[in-house]
Amino acid sequence: MKVRIKFSKKGPVKFVGHLDTMRYFQKAIRRAELPIAFSGGYSPHMIMSFAAPLGVGIESQGEYFDIELTRTVPTDEIVSRLNAVMTEGVHVISARQVEDGKAGKAMSLVAAADYFVQFREGKEPKCSWKERITEFLSQTEILVTKTGKKGERQVNIRPFIYKMELRGDKIFLMLASASANYTKPETVMEAFVKWLGEDYPDFACMVERLEVYADKGTEECHQFVTLEALGEKVE
C-alpha cells in the first residue's frame, strides 16, 4: 500500500531542517507501529519520499511525503496513529492511498507552491508598496542573479510567478517549484523591493508555505492539483 501523508509544521519546529524532519518521521512511524516497508540489500531503509524540502525557518500548512506499507491500513487510522505520537508543532492532516504509475512519486510531481509572505516589523519598504504589486507583475522580465556551479547568471523569474497579490497585510504568492524552475519567495520579494528602489534588509520577511501542487495541464495551460487530491481515502 502506497500512502501519501500531508502534515503541517509550525512554531519552533520550523527551525528543524529537512534531514532532521525526515529522521523525526522515521522514528514517529516506528512509534505509531505502522507496517512500514523497507528496501532490500545490506542496508535496508524505510521506503519514504518527501515532496519538497522546506527551508529552515519557514512554517507550512501543507507538506507531503510518501511511504509504502506492507499491508492495507485505513487512512483515518494512519492519521490517528501518527498524531498520537506527534510532537508539538507537527500535525498530520491527511493520509491518502496513491497508485503506482498513476500518481507518481511526490518529489517528481511538485510543480508549484502557495505562500504567504509578510514583512517583519520595521522592515517594510518606506514607499507605498501595496499599490505597486500589479505594476511589478506587468513587467515581461524580472531579472535576478543566481549563482550555480558555472558561476553567476541572470535569470528571468517572471514566467515562474503564477500569482502575486495582496491579501490583508500579507502577500500571497504562487510560484513554480519544480526542480528546473524552483523559485524561492525570498527571491521574488528581494526583486520586488529592489524594483521599488530600496534596499532589501536581511531577514526582511516571514514566510509560510500553504500548499504544494502537481501540474496536470500543459506548459501553456497549467492545471494545478494538490498532491492530496491525487490520492483517495481507504476505509
Side-chain angles (χ1 to χ4, degrees), residues 32-151:
E33 297 182 347
L34 291 174
I36 188 74
F38 284 80
S39 65
Y42 291 105
S43 301
H45 57 271
M46 288 185 184
I47 299 177
M48 173 187 288
S49 172
F50 275 71
L54 187 67
V56 174
I58 298 178
E59 293 189 339
S60 178
Q61 297 182 28
E63 296 301 293
Y64 293 89
F65 67 92
D66 291 348
I67 56 174
E68 287 189 26
L69 303 180
T70 58
R71 59 180 174 83
T72 300
V73 180
T75 48
D76 284 346
E77 183 180 334
I78 294 171
V79 173
S80 61
R81 282 204 206 181
L82 284 172
N83 277 329
V85 298
M86 287 294 103
T87 190
E88 183 179 353
V90 183
H91 178 71
V92 174
I93 299 168
S94 69
R96 296 288 186 270
Q97 182 178 22
V98 290
E99 295 184 35
D100 283 323
K102 288 188 177 181
K105 289 186 177 180
M107 182 179 294
S108 63
L109 286 170
V110 175
D114 288 343
Y115 302 89
F116 267 147
V117 182
Q118 187 172 21
F119 286 106
R120 297 181 189 276
E121 187 175 351
K123 297 200 174 186
E124 283 192 26
K126 296 178 177 61
C127 65
S128 301
W129 59 271
K130 294 180 181 180
E131 294 78 19
R132 302 195 66 188
I133 292 176
T134 302
E135 184 185 352
F136 174 68
L137 278 186
S138 67
Q139 302 176 96
T140 56
E141 281 192 339
I142 299 175
L143 296 176
V144 301
T145 302
K146 289 194 174 183
T147 304
K149 294 181 180 178
K150 297 182 179 180

Side-chain angles (χ1 to χ4, degrees), residues 182-227:
Y182 179 68
T183 306
K184 295 181 179 179
E186 295 91 339
T187 302
V188 177
M189 295 306 298
E190 183 176 359
F192 176 53
V193 173
K194 288 184 176 180
W195 174 81
L196 291 170
E198 300 191 23
D199 293 329
Y200 185 75
D202 293 334
F203 310 109
C205 295
M206 294 180 291
V207 179
E208 181 182 19
R209 186 148 70 187
L210 306 175
E211 187 57 88
V212 178
Y213 299 92
D215 189 356
K216 292 301 179 182
T218 63
E219 190 173 340
E220 293 76 22
C221 184
H222 298 292
Q223 185 183 342
F224 294 117
V225 181
T226 67
L227 298 193

Side-chain angles (χ1 to χ4, degrees), residues 224-235:
F224 294 117
V225 181
T226 67
L227 298 193
E228 181 182 20
L230 296 175
E232 59 184 19
K233 295 186 70 173
V234 175
E235 300 297 334

Side-chain angles (χ1 to χ4, degrees), residues 154-194:
Q154 291 280 297
V155 177
N156 177 21
I157 62 170
R158 179 59 189 90
F160 310 140
I161 305 174
Y162 301 135
K163 287 184 182 179
M164 183 177 181
E165 59 192 31
L166 192 67
R167 296 187 181 179
D169 291 329
K170 298 179 181 179
I171 295 175
F172 173 82
L173 291 170
M174 186 178 197
L175 305 176
S177 292
S179 58
N181 57 20
Y182 179 68
T183 306
K184 295 181 179 179
E186 295 91 339
T187 302
V188 177
M189 295 306 298
E190 183 176 359
F192 176 53
V193 173
K194 288 184 176 180

